[in-house]
Amino acid sequence: MPAVSQSQIAAVRRFNRLYTREVGLLRKNFLDTPWSLGEMRVLFEIANGKQITAKDLAKALDLDSAYLSRLLQKFETDGLITRTRSRADARVSHLGLSAKGRKAFSAANARQVENTTELLARLKPADRARLVGAMGTIEALLGEPVDVKRSYVLRDPKPGDFGWIVTRHAELYGEEYGWGGAFEGLCAQIVADFVNQFDPKLEKCWIAEMDGQRVGCVMLVKDDPKAKKADVSRIRLLLLDPAARGMGLGARLVDECVRFSRAKGYKRITLWTHQELVAARAIYAKAGFTVTGEETHDSWGKPVVSEFWDMAL
């Protein structure tokens, strides 16, 4: 495992100091409520949980059970929470907010929404999207999986997208497969050819975006750049960022290529991939492509087996 640099450690600590100030972690009371941020978080979990228990809270928030017990007792004394004995196990009680607790929490929650709205309103729309996307990245990398419905949009390329395609390909394939500079050069050449020879009637590029961040892409081009009519199309530079995997986006991008090719009258669609790209190969197979050839090369720093896949339209 690569060593963690001192500059990386300093950057994380610097961010932590900034964020604790922004969310008011150091204040005695949170947003002029009677509670600290920690107490507000416990009330939030109770308000949004289903049949939640003290044990559930301690685990979810990583709280000492004795401290949590005292906190819940205080809430109960203040008339903010209720305890309902479990029908399945009389030793267990489910926690909920009382009518007084719901009213007090609702007011505090509204203030938090207002405070967050003001924070985001200070930023330009593009910067707002970048911030939310960066937060999603932190959550995906450091947090536990959460049951949140994720959504994405497909759009045409904008300034900066083509450079991102090359950069992200180089980063991901370098990290996951050890492919070096020659692979990045190939990606750069493919992108340059697409931009310089683009035929808007027969070619297209899709950028996938989630929470304002680019998370995927694919290009559909003429197999013969000089061709004046639709004959064979080629899928190029299909990419799926780890943050967007597992939600069917890769299959959607390939489906868009197939649908576009059929609409433009192409007779066949082809692509070039590698045996190491197991997930991509599964997408191609499911879409109806079949392997029509293979070859071995070591252009990218290690021997790899490339494959040719085709599908009649």
Side-chain angles (χ1 to χ4, degrees):
M1 178 182 296
V4 178
S5 70
Q6 291 300 311
S7 62
Q8 290 172 327
I9 294 172
V12 171
R13 296 185 65 191
R14 184 171 61 249
F15 173 80
N16 288 342
R17 291 192 296 272
L18 167 69
Y19 195 65
T20 52
R21 185 192 69 197
E22 286 292 337
V23 301
L25 184 61
L26 303 179
R27 302 171 195 156
K28 182 179 180 180
N29 295 330
F30 181 63
L31 294 180
D32 298 323
T33 68
W35 314 300
S36 68
L37 179 58
E39 290 170 331
M40 182 69 176
R41 178 62 192 278
V42 171
L43 288 172
F44 178 90
E45 294 295 329
I46 296 174
N48 291 277
K50 293 182 178 180
Q51 295 190 324
I52 194 168
T53 67
K55 184 178 180 180
D56 296 331
L57 279 174
K59 181 178 180 181
L61 302 179
D62 192 25
L63 291 176
D64 175 73
S65 57
Y67 165 74
L68 178 61
S69 179
R70 293 192 298 271
L71 188 57
L72 294 176
Q73 183 61 53
K74 174 180 178 294
F75 286 156
E76 194 170 17
T77 300
D78 293 341
L80 299 175
I81 67 171
T82 61
R83 297 179 190 260
T84 305
R85 191 77 62 184
S86 170
R87 294 181 179 180
D89 187 345
R91 297 168 299 177
V92 176
S93 293
H94 297 137
L95 302 170
L97 294 184
S98 65
K100 177 182 178 181
R102 287 194 296 272
K103 182 178 180 180
F105 174 78
S106 178
N109 191 60
R111 282 198 292 273
Q112 187 172 9
V113 171
E114 182 181 358
N115 189 68
T116 304
T117 302
E118 291 175 355
L119 183 150
L120 293 173
R122 302 201 310 250
L123 304 175
K124 295 179 180 178
D127 291 336
R128 205 177 300 158
R130 287 176 57 205
L131 176 65
V132 173
M135 288 177 169
T137 300
I138 293 173
E139 185 178 20
L141 292 175
L142 300 182
E144 296 180 357
V146 292
D147 186 19
V148 176
K149 183 175 179 58
R150 298 180 299 168
S151 61
Y152 60 83
V153 295
L154 300 185
R155 60 169 176 78
D156 292 332
K158 298 188 297 188
D161 285 336
F162 291 117
W164 173 83
I165 290 174
V166 176
T167 298
R168 199 65 186 118
H169 268 82
E171 292 172 344
L172 272 183
Y173 284 84
E175 293 168 3
E176 298 182 353
Y177 303 103
W179 296 354
F183 173 73
E184 183 173 0
L186 174 65
C187 295
Q189 186 61 60
I190 292 172
V191 168
D193 289 344
F194 179 86
V195 173
N196 294 327
Q197 302 172 13
F198 180 54
D199 182 344
K201 295 181 179 179
L202 295 174
E203 298 179 320
K204 189 172 176 62
C205 174
W206 292 263
I207 301 294
E209 195 173 85
M210 187 168 66
D211 295 329
Q213 298 294 301
R214 292 171 290 216
V215 294
C217 64
V218 72
M219 292 177 174
L220 192 285
V221 302
K222 296 181 293 187
D223 189 45
D224 179 1
K226 298 180 180 180
K228 298 300 182 182
K229 64 177 183 176
D231 186 11
V232 180
S233 63
R234 177 176 290 274
I235 293 177
R236 311 221 71 168
L237 296 182
L238 173 67
L239 179 77
L240 204 60
D241 193 272
R245 292 173 184 172
M247 55 191 301
L249 176 55
R252 170 73 186 283
L253 289 169
V254 172
D255 286 344
E256 291 295 330
C257 290
V258 174
R259 187 179 298 111
F260 182 87
S261 295
R262 285 181 173 143
K264 297 301 180 179
Y266 283 104
K267 304 298 187 295
R268 181 166 59 90
I269 184 169
T270 188
L271 62 92
W272 184 61
T273 188
H274 292 77
Q275 287 187 357
E276 289 182 272
L277 309 184
V278 177
R281 293 171 74 252
I283 291 173
Y284 300 141
K286 188 174 182 179
F289 288 84
T290 56
V291 180
T292 55
E294 65 177 46
E295 63 182 10
T296 301
H297 68 87
D298 57 359
S299 305
W300 304 331
K302 56 187 296 189
V304 292
V305 178
S306 62
E307 296 178 336
F308 304 94
W309 292 59
D310 292 272
M311 180 172 68
L313 298 174

